[in-house]
Amino acid sequence: MERRMSYMTQMEIADAIATGSAVIVPTGATEAHGPHMPVDTDTHQVDHIAVLLAERIDAIVAPPVAYGVSMTFEHFPGTISLSIPTYQLMLFEIGAALVKQGFTHIILLNGNRPSGTANDQVARHMVDQLDGDHDFKVSAVSYWEPAADKIHALRKSVVGGMGHGCELEASFQLATRPELVKMERLKGAKYGPVGWDLVAPTNPTRTYARRPRPGAGHAAIFGDPTVATAEMGEKSIAIIVDVLEQTFRNLQGSYQDRKDQPA
């Protein structure tokens, strides 16, 4: 069965709606990822995971959203960012269109860390605005989050080494598109651990300061990509898909009615 909506006819999509298939909306970004990786890294990775997950849970995959909240890297060539309000309005309209067509489970699968909290707010807003006329649920998750502890156990970098253009992302690209990865261009670039990490247990407080700038020698990297390997990427992808499958097979809504509770 075809999983990408882009390759399906309208009647095939109607059949998926009729059989109760979930629809995954991959949210990525177009932004600098260091001198060694392509600017579509986030979009490619979340779309790749979405298709693999769709096979497991009998879902279909909407066209990926290739622009996200990327103002952190707006001073770097190739970065195309949306403001948070514009991004959230766009994602809400996409989700609302799918709900109005009859999909009963929308999965906002995120691949760009700064868009994660924005996606969560969109999911809440969709329910607030649409649940009076439509019976549906919406899930919001960044693809690496449910498997964070298992990926953390595989790492070679120190805590803070998995952030952006890092061990995890470079490994993912080496496993799936090695011809686009230019590790030799890291020579002389400035990078290293940062005060947060995609998968390691860290202090949840987030403090934002002046954004990185190429003029100061920043390489648009948060973490350490030099320890990345294709093997790490392959293992991480397999773990991520396995854990996401279990997540969505055992999903419980936050607000669902509890018929077993006394009145």
Side-chain angles (χ1 to χ4, degrees), residues 91-114:
L91 189 58
F92 173 83
E93 296 288 355
I94 292 169
L98 294 168
V99 168
K100 291 173 183 178
Q101 289 178 29
F103 284 103
T104 56
H105 188 192
I106 316 297
I107 299 173
L108 304 179
L109 187 66
N110 179 50
N112 173 45
R113 178 179 176 269

Side-chain angles (χ1 to χ4, degrees), residues 6 12 17-19 49 58 91 120 139 155 171 173 192 207 251:
S6 298
E12 289 171 328
I17 294 171
T19 57
I49 294 294
D58 192 25
L91 189 58
D120 185 67
S139 304
R155 72 187 306 152
S171 293
Q173 292 297 300
T207 301
L251 199 62

Side-chain angles (χ1 to χ4, degrees), residues 48-239:
H48 186 88
I49 294 294
V51 173
L52 294 176
L53 176 61
E55 293 284 353
R56 301 281 192 92
I57 63 172
D58 192 25
I60 63 173
V61 181
V65 178
Y67 303 103
V69 180
S70 301
M71 296 295 286
T72 300
F73 298 104
E74 74 165 332
H75 298 295
F76 292 81
T79 298
I80 302 173
S81 181
L82 301 179
S83 67
I84 294 173
T86 298
Y87 171 79
Q88 289 184 310
L89 178 59
M90 175 188 65
L91 189 58
F92 173 83
E93 296 288 355
I94 292 169
L98 294 168
V99 168
K100 291 173 183 178
Q101 289 178 29
F103 284 103
T104 56
H105 188 192
I106 316 297
I107 299 173
L108 304 179
L109 187 66
N110 179 50
N112 173 45
R113 178 179 176 269
S115 299
T117 49
N119 285 13
D120 185 67
Q121 291 178 327
V122 170
R124 291 170 180 264
H125 189 49
M126 285 175 60
V127 171
D128 293 345
Q129 297 298 311
L130 301 171
D131 74 345
D133 297 318
H134 304 276
D135 185 11
F136 71 99
K137 60 179 176 283
V138 55
S139 304
V141 64
S142 294
Y143 71 78
W144 61 86
E145 290 177 326
D149 57 340
K150 292 180 171 59
I151 298 171
H152 180 54
L154 296 176
R155 72 187 306 152
K156 295 179 181 177
S157 62
V158 301
V159 172
M162 288 193 182
H164 175 86
C166 57
E167 180 185 5
L168 177 59
E169 291 193 321
S171 293
F172 197 126
Q173 292 297 300
L174 286 170
T176 56
R177 304 189 298 179
E179 71 279 5
L180 297 183
V181 183
K182 302 171 177 63
M183 299 295 281
E184 70 279 2
R185 295 189 180 179
L186 288 169
K187 186 177 181 179
K190 295 180 180 179
Y191 52 84
V194 289
W196 55 272
D197 196 276
L198 292 175
V199 299
T202 55
N203 189 305
T205 304
R206 294 176 179 174
T207 301
Y208 301 99
R210 195 177 193 200
R211 295 169 297 163
R213 285 165 169 76
H218 202 287
I221 299 170
F222 296 152
D224 182 6
T226 61
V227 293
T229 64
E231 180 184 12
M232 170 64 172
E234 291 166 0
K235 289 181 178 179
S236 296
I237 291 167
I239 289 170

